Amino acid sequence: MIGRRKRFYTIHPLINTMNIRQRVQALKEERNAVILAHNYCSNEVQDIADHTGDSLGLSIKASEVDEPVIVFCGVTFMAESAKILNPDKKVIIPEEDAVCPMANMCTGAQLDELRSREPGVKIIGYVNTSAESKARMDICCTSANAVKVVESMAGGDLLFVPDRNLGRHAASEAGVEMRLWDGFCPTHQAITLGMVEDLKQEHPDAVVMAHPECRPEVLEASDHIGSTSQMLDFAHGSEAKEFIVLTEQGLLHPLRSNNPLKTFYTPEAALCPVMKMTDIRSVLRALEEMGPEVVLDEDTIDRARGPLERMIALR
Ligand code: 13P
Ligand code: SF4
């Protein structure tokens, strides 16, 4: 839950990006703040961030930084995770309505209802969920460590929430049986096998990298499956010169900056509207107003910290 604050649009539209960047830098120092941005954020937001990364990397980074204020550019579940792991810090999310639609597919109330029906179930939950849902899980995972987390839970009556595609992939890689919640990411679900085949036909030498949120048939057609940061590492270490990238287009920015001699293609459909809500103006406004702040009740923080910390221990 994000603390709502009244917004004052103090930024004149004609103030140019260069000026805004300078103002963000100055204000960031004045406020003793650090800016974290997910790999899907717009190019300009990634460029003003102190640290970029995938969900796992940013959760860990949030616990490592010294600054008492974290401006989290991404979606609400990521900023909430930063708050849960750092309850004494002020965590600000520039766009409080940037809610991942998959996170809404599995609520705390649904998990309460499930646990009352099936008290023995062990719930493995993707971090793309609200703090209220995390508080009801046994362990969390990200796309970077889902296989390891599922392996660590082998043996019980397991349920994976909410992403059926990531759950299916992790279960098959880990060789573990588990039930899957019927959630999905609309952005990755929009990438079809037909799109992948068209791209392969246009670029026959390209290596195909996919995020595990993609459909099973798309994952089967891929050469490498990993989180956003794992794809960055893979592309950097690979001898290949061309890559088809089956994830949100924001990843093209670090891929291209880190590998100027390599070429990357992605399907046009791979766009996440909530990840694109945050722009450099919202970051400046957040620093000016010191909000919207992530506000979670103590009980939720206490209950959600365990599943997140168990996940980080398995990184
Ligand atoms: P990563 O953890 O791989 O960065 O992915 C987050 C996400 O929202 C994928 O859609
Ligand atoms: Fe959520 Fe999908 Fe956007 Fe990731 S890409 S934030 S899972 S909607």
Side-chain angles (χ1 to χ4, degrees):
M1 187 203 301
I2 310 298
R4 285 185 181 266
R5 289 172 61 118
K6 195 163 191 263
R7 279 195 180 165
F8 299 96
Y9 288 84
T10 52
I11 306 161
H12 191 280
L14 292 181
I15 293 176
N16 66 32
T17 305
M18 184 66 101
N19 278 339
I20 296 180
R21 284 176 68 108
Q22 285 167 351
R23 290 178 65 188
V24 165
Q25 287 305 330
L27 212 47
K28 195 183 72 177
E29 275 164 42
E30 203 178 293
R31 306 290 202 211
N32 204 2
V34 63
I35 301 177
L36 305 184
H38 186 265
N39 289 326
Y40 291 158
C41 283
S42 67
N43 300 2
E44 59 176 18
V45 169
Q46 292 195 42
D47 289 344
I48 48 150
D50 297 293
H51 305 284
T52 54
D54 63 5
S55 309
L56 181 62
L58 290 175
S59 293
I60 294 167
K61 191 49 84 181
S63 308
E64 289 172 352
V65 295
D66 294 328
E67 289 83 351
V69 178
I70 296 174
V71 177
F72 208 116
C73 305
V75 288
T76 54
F77 77 77
M78 297 177 178
E80 286 182 348
S81 295
K83 181 68 185 176
I84 293 162
L85 293 166
N86 303 277
D88 297 335
K89 292 193 181 184
K90 190 178 180 87
V91 179
I92 291 172
I93 177 153
E95 291 294 341
E96 62 190 328
D97 294 330
V99 181
C100 166
M102 175 157 48
N104 285 337
M105 293 180 190
C106 177
T107 64
Q110 285 174 301
L111 293 182
D112 276 343
E113 198 268 326
L114 178 102
R115 279 210 188 274
S116 68
R117 265 190 293 117
E118 302 180 39
V121 69
K122 295 260 179 275
I123 301 177
I124 305 175
Y126 193 22
V127 285
N128 294 35
T129 39
S130 68
E132 288 74 20
S133 295
K134 287 188 180 74
R136 288 150 175 89
M137 293 170 186
D138 292 285
I139 190 165
C140 291
C141 72
T142 72
S143 55
N145 65 3
V147 177
K148 240 190 213 181
V149 168
V150 169
E151 271 167 359
S152 78
M153 298 290 284
D157 173 16
L158 302 180
L159 172 70
F160 190 94
V161 303
D163 186 358
R164 63 183 185 221
N165 294 337
L166 174 63
R168 183 192 304 261
H169 168 71
S172 113
E173 289 292 304
V176 167
E177 261 191 45
M178 62 184 183
R179 287 181 283 153
L180 307 174
W181 197 264
D182 197 21
F184 61 91
C185 159
T187 300
H188 287 85
Q189 195 69 11
I191 302 172
T192 63
L193 183 58
M195 291 174 191
V196 180
E197 282 169 351
D198 288 350
L199 281 166
K200 276 182 162 185
Q201 216 161 22
E202 280 170 52
H203 312 287
D205 295 331
V207 170
V208 182
M209 304 190 293
H211 195 278
E213 288 175 14
C214 289
R215 297 161 178 266
E217 64 273 21
V218 166
L219 295 182
E220 252 169 57
S222 306
D223 303 303
H224 172 78
I225 298 167
S227 77
T228 53
S229 291
Q230 287 169 340
M231 283 190 258
L232 285 175
D233 291 343
F234 177 80
H236 198 62
S238 165
E239 307 236 306
K241 295 280 173 264
E242 289 184 294
F243 299 83
I244 293 167
V245 186
L246 304 176
T247 195
E248 212 278 340
Q249 292 174 12
L251 194 66
L252 290 175
H253 182 53
L255 279 169
R256 287 176 176 154
S257 336
N258 298 349
N259 306 282
L261 301 178
K262 297 179 180 177
T263 314
F264 300 93
Y265 315 98
T266 193
E268 273 173 34
L271 197 74
C272 172
V274 287
M275 275 289 181
K276 295 299 184 272
M277 284 172 78
T278 307
D279 62 16
I280 191 164
R281 286 166 190 271
S282 21
V283 178
L284 177 56
R285 191 180 59 233
L287 282 164
E288 284 179 337
E289 297 178 8
M290 289 295 273
E293 184 179 352
V294 176
V295 181
L296 297 170
D297 65 72
E298 240 175 79
D299 180 55
T300 303
I301 291 183
D302 287 346
R303 290 175 63 194
R305 192 181 307 123
L308 273 176
E309 284 180 347
R310 285 193 275 284
M311 166 191 92
I312 289 176
L314 283 173
R315 67 168 112 158

